[in-house]
């Protein structure tokens, strides 16, 4: 506590730009004196603080459970030029942990409300909101930032962001230009578990180098759902996948909207009927909503710990005062408290960051469907809806594209054709586009006998 009779300034501040004496003392302690844990090359000065306050631009992706914590931590650490991107609106269920939002904000964009809250609460801080998808921005937008920090709940979005930062790298005669590297700090939480990682694109392991670490989405076998349900989740999935398209409760062509309470209520009631039929207990409205929306459980304290770890890494990199995390930290407080740090190693043939076309080993008689299955099911690729093109007889030909209905219909017969029938040759390059990356990924066909 201060030992003066002066009132403590919380809002508004005083003086130029909302500054007051001693405002940044806690930060100056780290930046203006040496210490046993500082970076070997660190030289204490007042310039590092001025860089944080006046120059450094941070992009926060996601304004949810992690994002709210990140924005608060970064703003209180002296970062004043912050942009936040989030495509979501506020739901009542967010309010227990996403503390920048209030009941009156429900239905409004998370990015806008989070920015308004921080700007109104922390003098001199300027958070710029973007109520958009990350895919709505081009390279010039991302190139303006010094550091990007992610608080996402989507692996696809993480991979896309990873691909974007890799596409910004500049190589001169095969040598990476360090000035083109934008560090990526990534945080993730699931219940009482979490992780934080530091990625220097082109230098350290990227998101796709360690794709095997991400658990695949749980999908229940159709035979179990349809004929032998054992869990309450099986009952909900039965209604979602089979009953909804069959009964069309809200009219022909109306898809199940996970955010529509009437839709969820219908699924809940039908799931209860299904559960009663098989003497299964545990179907609740909340469980129904969780299964339909694929909700991952969220715990406020885990978000706080992981966001603090990420914000600390941003501070270390921006100030160059301390050696950053190398490079992956896991956190678990399910039973006691456990943290562990290890170095995730860069993959020599990573499809995203190695700059080497990956070999696809297939027989000439293999069907294109087999290649498609490999791209989606391989643990180190995990693509979602790959579009495959090749250059045949000097022309660019689409072999299969799923996302546009008319082209999907036209190219579907190719799936049952062999690679030889499609005119593909040994050593042929296949270009594959997917929602997981902004770049086209190159593969090289290697025929097996």
């Amino acid at each position: 506590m201060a030992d003066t009779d002066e009132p403590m300034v919380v809002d508004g501040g005083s003086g130029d730009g909302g500054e007051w004496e001693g405002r940044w003392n806690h930060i100056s302690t780290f930046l203006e004196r040496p210490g046993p844990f500082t970076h070997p090359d660190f030289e204490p000065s007042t310039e590092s603080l001025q860089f944080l306050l006046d120059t450094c631009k941070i992009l926060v992706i996601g304004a949810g459970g992690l994002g709210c914590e990140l924005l608060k931590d970064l703003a209180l650490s002296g970062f004043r030029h912050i942009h936040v991107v989030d495509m979501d609106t506020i739901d009542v269920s967010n309010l227990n942990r996403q503390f920048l939002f209030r009941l009156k904000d429900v239905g409004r964009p998370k990015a806008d409300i989070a920015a308004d809250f921080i700007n109104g609460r922390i003098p001199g801080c300027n958070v710029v909101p973007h109520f958009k998808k990350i895919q709505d921005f081009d390279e010039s937008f991302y190139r303006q930032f010094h550091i990007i920090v992610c608080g996402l709940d989507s692996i696809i979005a993480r991979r896309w962001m990873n691909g974007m930062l890799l596409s910004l790298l500049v190589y001169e005669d095969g040598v990476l230009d360090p000035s083109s590297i934008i560090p990526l700090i990534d945080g993730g939480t699931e219940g009482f578990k979490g992780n934080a990682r530091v990625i220097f694109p082109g230098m350290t392991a990227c998101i796709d180098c360690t794709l095997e670490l991400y658990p695949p989405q749980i999908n229940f076998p159709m035979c179990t759902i349809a004929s032998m349900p054992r869990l309450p989740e099986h009952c909900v999935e039965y209604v979602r996948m089979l009953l909804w398209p069959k009964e069309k409760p809200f009219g022909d062509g109306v898809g199940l909207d996970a955010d529509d309470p009437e839709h969820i209520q219908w699924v809940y009631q039908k799931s209860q009927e299904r559960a009663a039929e098989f003497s299964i207990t545990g179907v609740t409205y909340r469980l129904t909503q969780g299964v339909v929306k694929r909700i991952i459980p969220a715990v406020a304290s885990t978000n706080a710990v992981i966001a603090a770890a990420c914000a600390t890494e941003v501070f270390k990199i921006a100030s160059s005062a301390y050696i950053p995390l190398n490079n992956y930290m896991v956190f678990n407080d399910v039973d006691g408290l456990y943290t562990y740090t290890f170095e995730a190693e860069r993959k020599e043939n990573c499809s995203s960051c190695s700059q080497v076309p990956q070999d696809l080993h297939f027989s000439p008689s293999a069907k294109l469907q087999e290649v498609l299955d490999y791209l989606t099911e391989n643990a180190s690729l995990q693509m979602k809806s790959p579009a495959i093109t090749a250059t045949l007889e000097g022309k660019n030909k689409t072999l299969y594209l799923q996302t546009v209905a008319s082209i999907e219909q036209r190219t579907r017969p190719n799936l049952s054709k062999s690679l030889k029938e499609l005119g593909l040759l040994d050593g042929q390059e296949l270009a594959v586009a997917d929602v997981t990356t902004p770049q086209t990924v190159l593969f090289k066909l290697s025929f097996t006998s």
Side-chain angles (χ1 to χ4, degrees):
M1 292 291 290
D3 58 356
T4 74
D5 294 325
E6 289 293 312
M8 195 172 173
V9 180
V10 178
D11 288 324
S14 60
D16 183 38
E19 296 292 19
W20 56 90
E21 192 180 344
R23 180 177 181 185
W24 302 113
N25 282 356
H26 61 303
I27 304 295
S28 301
T29 302
F30 292 103
L31 302 180
E32 294 177 15
R33 66 183 191 186
F37 301 109
T38 54
H39 195 288
D41 301 329
F42 174 65
E43 291 186 10
S45 75
T46 56
E47 290 172 15
S48 293
L49 177 60
Q50 289 314 122
F51 174 73
L52 298 193
L53 295 175
D54 303 331
T55 311
C56 191
K57 278 181 94 166
I58 307 292
L59 175 63
V60 175
I61 299 175
L66 268 175
C68 284
E69 293 279 357
L70 280 166
L71 288 168
K72 173 259 292 178
D73 291 347
L74 292 168
L76 291 172
S77 299
F79 295 97
R80 292 171 148 178
H81 302 289
I82 304 170
H83 287 237
V84 58
V85 177
D86 195 297
M87 60 178 278
D88 215 354
T89 54
I90 297 158
D91 186 63
V92 174
S93 64
N94 302 148
L95 302 181
N96 70 338
R97 63 196 181 281
Q98 296 173 25
F99 55 86
L100 302 181
F101 313 137
R102 301 291 179 267
L103 198 56
K104 64 180 172 53
D105 302 323
V106 169
R108 297 171 69 192
K110 286 184 178 180
D112 293 355
I113 302 303
D116 287 347
F117 193 108
I118 296 286
N119 292 339
R121 185 67 179 261
I122 302 177
C125 190
N126 179 33
V127 180
V128 180
H130 303 276
F131 176 41
K132 291 182 174 181
K133 297 177 182 177
I134 53 172
Q135 293 88 349
D136 292 340
F137 298 99
D138 60 10
E139 291 185 353
S140 61
F141 173 78
Y142 291 108
R143 203 176 268 120
Q144 66 180 303
F145 298 102
H146 291 94
I147 301 169
I148 293 176
V149 53
C150 288
L152 289 161
D153 59 2
S154 160
I155 292 169
I156 292 178
R158 275 191 182 89
R159 294 178 67 186
W160 191 92
M161 199 63 243
N162 179 66
M164 171 54 76
L165 295 186
L166 288 168
S167 74
L168 298 180
L169 297 177
V170 175
Y171 290 87
E172 290 175 14
D173 299 325
V175 179
L176 177 60
D177 177 0
S179 67
S180 67
I181 298 170
I182 300 175
L184 175 66
I185 318 294
D186 180 53
T189 66
E190 184 173 335
F192 291 98
K193 301 171 186 174
N195 72 278
R197 63 188 300 184
V198 173
I199 296 167
F200 290 98
M203 289 178 65
T204 63
C206 77
I207 297 279
D208 280 13
C209 285
T210 56
L211 208 53
E212 293 94 336
L213 293 175
Y214 293 104
Q217 188 170 298
I218 296 169
N219 289 310
F220 301 108
M222 184 56 79
C223 54
T224 305
I225 292 168
S227 54
M228 292 184 296
R230 298 184 305 276
L231 302 170
E233 289 87 349
H234 293 160
C235 302
V236 179
E237 284 288 82
Y238 173 82
V239 177
R240 183 181 78 86
M241 296 177 69
L242 301 173
L243 221 54
W244 182 280
K246 183 181 169 187
E247 297 197 6
K248 304 180 178 71
F250 292 85
D252 212 3
V254 178
L256 174 53
D257 182 356
D259 293 313
D260 188 326
E262 288 185 27
H263 287 202
I264 297 294
Q265 185 64 34
W266 186 89
V267 176
Y268 168 51
Q269 286 174 343
K270 293 291 180 182
S271 301
Q272 278 190 314
E273 292 169 18
R274 175 82 172 165
E277 196 181 325
F278 288 87
S279 304
I280 295 169
T281 57
V283 174
T284 62
Y285 182 88
R286 190 169 181 178
L287 175 103
T288 304
Q289 198 174 31
V291 173
V292 172
K293 293 183 79 169
R294 293 286 195 263
I295 289 173
I296 296 167
V299 176
S301 56
T302 314
N303 285 334
V305 170
I306 296 303
C310 290
T312 302
E313 293 308 317
V314 174
F315 177 79
K316 284 153 74 173
I317 293 169
S319 65
S320 300
Y322 299 86
I323 298 170
L325 172 72
N326 184 29
N327 55 29
Y328 201 113
M329 185 271 284
V330 292
F331 170 84
N332 187 336
D333 63 346
V334 173
D335 186 13
L337 187 65
Y338 173 79
T339 65
Y340 176 66
T341 303
F342 66 92
E343 182 181 356
E345 292 192 10
R346 196 172 170 200
K347 214 176 186 180
E348 283 182 21
N349 64 338
C350 171
S351 62
S352 294
C353 73
S354 69
Q355 292 199 301
V356 177
Q358 277 211 359
D359 283 338
L360 289 174
H361 296 281
F362 284 96
S363 154
S365 59
K367 304 282 190 279
L368 186 64
Q369 180 70 59
E370 293 174 51
V371 176
L372 192 75
D373 292 343
Y374 175 80
L375 295 172
T376 54
E377 292 169 12
N378 181 280
S380 61
L381 295 174
Q382 295 184 41
M383 293 186 169
K384 300 301 168 190
S385 50
I388 307 171
T389 58
T391 304
L392 295 171
E393 296 170 3
K395 291 181 181 175
N396 200 25
K397 186 182 177 186
T398 301
L399 301 179
Y400 184 69
L401 193 149
Q402 193 178 329
T403 50
V404 181
S406 59
I407 302 178
E408 196 282 331
Q409 207 171 354
R410 183 163 55 80
T411 56
R412 195 185 307 157
N414 288 343
L415 293 175
S416 55
K417 291 180 182 175
S418 71
L419 303 182
K420 189 178 180 182
E421 286 171 332
L422 289 166
L424 299 171
L425 305 168
D426 188 34
Q428 177 112 35
E429 282 199 346
L430 296 181
V432 181
D434 191 59
V435 291
T436 55
T437 175
Q439 303 181 88
T440 300
V441 185
L442 288 180
F443 292 91
K444 194 175 178 182
L445 269 184
S446 178
F447 281 164
T448 56
S449 52

